[in-house]
Amino acid sequence: MKKDNKKVIYWLLTGCVLIFIMVVVGGITRLTHSGLSISNYKLISGTIPPMNEVEWQEAFDLYKQYPEYQKLNNHFTLDDFKDIYFWEWLHRVIGRFIGIVFFIPFLYFLFTKQLSKPTIKKSIVLMALGSFQGFLGWYMVKSGLVDNPDVSHYRLAAHLTTAFLTFAYTFWVALDLMFPNKKEVNIKFRNLIRLGMLVLLIQIIYGAFVAGLDAGFIHNVWPFMNEGKLIHETVYIEQNPVIKNFFEGKSGVQFIHRTLAYVVVTFILIIWFKAKKMSLTSYQLKGVNALFILVGLQFLLGVLTLIYAVPVWLGVTHQIGAFFLLTAMTFTLHRFSK
């Protein structure tokens, strides 16, 4: 049987779609403040939600033992709890399903000798990334169960960024199989796209910082911050020393996220303008055009999300925009790299 065949490609692309769904549900979970509703971790039995009122009450009683209920949600009824429980439960179930979708077909393809050695190695890296992602999810939730009823924004950023990287790498492996023929590479231009990818990833990390610190609920004006200031004084006085503001201060983190948006747009415009002067394949042209369109949409979504103080649907849409932009950047980089 042919190695690295279409079935292998469909398997990898299915994984990409599932990771996308996982990220969307994760975004809803965060924005609805549902992430700490399940305070224990049971790999098998945790797949089944409470099935009757007694089990629901037991789950609710467990929730009551932790800071989120005691300090923030002590007004919750059982029905309120059921609402937040659903999103966290769904998020975890999708994670388990992704693990099955990656692992079982991998074993099948491996034993039926449908994978080349390079693809086997890449697939093992993929599953290691997926396992690490699951660990980070548990590690993130754990940080909100001690004293402060909110997860560490550093752990949130690690969890989200690893999801994005796992998706990008899965997509890259699929692209390797879809485009097996090598071509001459413009090293200088490829490195420009790599730099653009790096800046985009840093922006995604800061997007997670903004989400983790609830920094989208302040300075809800644009293009300047409150009081018409380009840099509001709260950017550099919330934390001490000053440098800490840009990692842990709400205003400082939002300022970096705002500023990096212009940097990402600038990079993609440079990539687009330079590409237009080159002789491109149809896929290269589609890649740079997709970047151009998506970065404009994502910038607009970012502004609207800020102005309207992060309604759930806009916050999730903005996160989806980041996902699509990363997809386009990954595709474009691949088409200019191999």
Side-chain angles (χ1 to χ4, degrees), residues 91-109:
H91 189 54
R92 294 188 184 198
V93 167
I94 294 171
R96 291 174 173 90
F97 184 63
I98 290 174
I100 293 169
V101 167
F102 270 107
F103 189 63
I104 292 179
F106 170 71
L107 290 179
Y108 169 75
F109 290 133

Side-chain angles (χ1 to χ4, degrees), residues 7-112:
K7 286 188 286 185
V8 176
I9 295 171
Y10 291 146
W11 163 58
L12 292 166
L13 292 178
T14 300
C16 288
V17 172
L18 288 172
I19 295 170
F20 167 70
I21 295 170
M22 179 80 165
V23 169
V24 172
V25 173
I28 296 172
T29 301
R30 173 63 196 172
L31 289 166
T32 55
H33 303 285
S34 304
L36 296 176
S37 57
I38 305 175
S39 48
N40 57 6
Y41 187 83
K42 297 178 180 178
L43 183 62
I44 306 300
S45 60
T47 306
I48 303 170
M51 301 301 289
N52 53 55
E53 287 303 304
V54 173
E55 291 181 1
W56 273 115
Q57 191 61 52
E58 288 176 355
F60 190 28
D61 288 342
L62 181 63
Y63 176 66
K64 289 178 179 179
Q65 297 175 26
Y66 291 93
E68 183 171 81
Y69 175 82
Q70 295 166 356
K71 295 183 179 181
L72 293 178
N73 293 337
N74 49 32
H75 61 284
F76 263 30
T77 64
L78 183 58
D79 286 337
D80 294 325
F81 172 68
K82 287 179 179 179
D83 288 340
I84 63 170
Y85 186 100
F86 169 76
W87 288 112
E88 176 63 9
W89 170 80
L90 182 62
H91 189 54
R92 294 188 184 198
V93 167
I94 294 171
R96 291 174 173 90
F97 184 63
I98 290 174
I100 293 169
V101 167
F102 270 107
F103 189 63
I104 292 179
F106 170 71
L107 290 179
Y108 169 75
F109 290 133
L110 185 65
F111 289 128
T112 55

Side-chain angles (χ1 to χ4, degrees), residues 187-337:
I187 303 295
K188 190 175 179 181
F189 190 70
R190 181 204 63 190
N191 289 345
L192 174 65
I193 303 173
R194 281 182 175 177
L195 194 54
M197 171 75 93
L198 178 62
V199 173
L200 178 59
L201 287 171
I202 294 171
Q203 175 69 327
I204 288 169
I205 291 169
Y206 265 90
F209 282 176
V210 168
L213 292 169
D214 288 330
F217 297 99
I218 58 173
H219 302 294
N220 299 110
V221 287
W222 185 84
F224 302 110
M225 301 181 87
N226 283 356
E227 300 165 22
K229 295 178 179 179
L230 179 63
I231 306 177
H232 197 268
E233 58 269 15
T234 52
V235 167
Y236 47 83
I237 64 171
E238 284 181 19
Q239 302 287 331
N240 191 35
V242 173
I243 190 68
K244 202 174 178 183
N245 285 283
F246 302 109
F247 298 98
E248 297 181 12
K250 290 186 179 184
S251 293
V253 164
Q254 193 200 99
F255 173 74
I256 295 291
H257 194 52
R258 282 173 173 255
T259 306
L260 277 175
Y262 295 107
V263 178
V264 171
V265 169
T266 301
F267 260 100
I268 289 176
L269 285 177
I270 292 170
I271 290 167
W272 188 75
F273 278 117
K274 284 184 175 292
K276 289 295 180 179
K277 298 176 183 178
M278 300 163 61
S279 177
L280 305 178
T281 67
S282 62
Y283 285 113
Q284 288 173 334
L285 181 61
K286 287 174 182 176
V288 293
N289 283 341
L291 277 179
F292 180 78
I293 294 166
L294 287 169
V295 78
L297 286 173
Q298 178 64 351
F299 189 89
L300 177 62
L301 283 170
V303 171
L304 293 174
T305 302
L306 180 68
I307 289 173
Y308 290 102
V310 202
V312 172
W313 73 271
L314 253 180
V316 172
T317 306
H318 186 47
Q319 186 164 300
I320 290 171
F323 204 97
F324 284 153
L325 188 57
L326 180 67
T327 303
M329 186 69 87
T330 303
F331 179 82
T332 304
L333 179 58
H334 191 279
R335 288 300 72 224
F336 282 94
S337 296

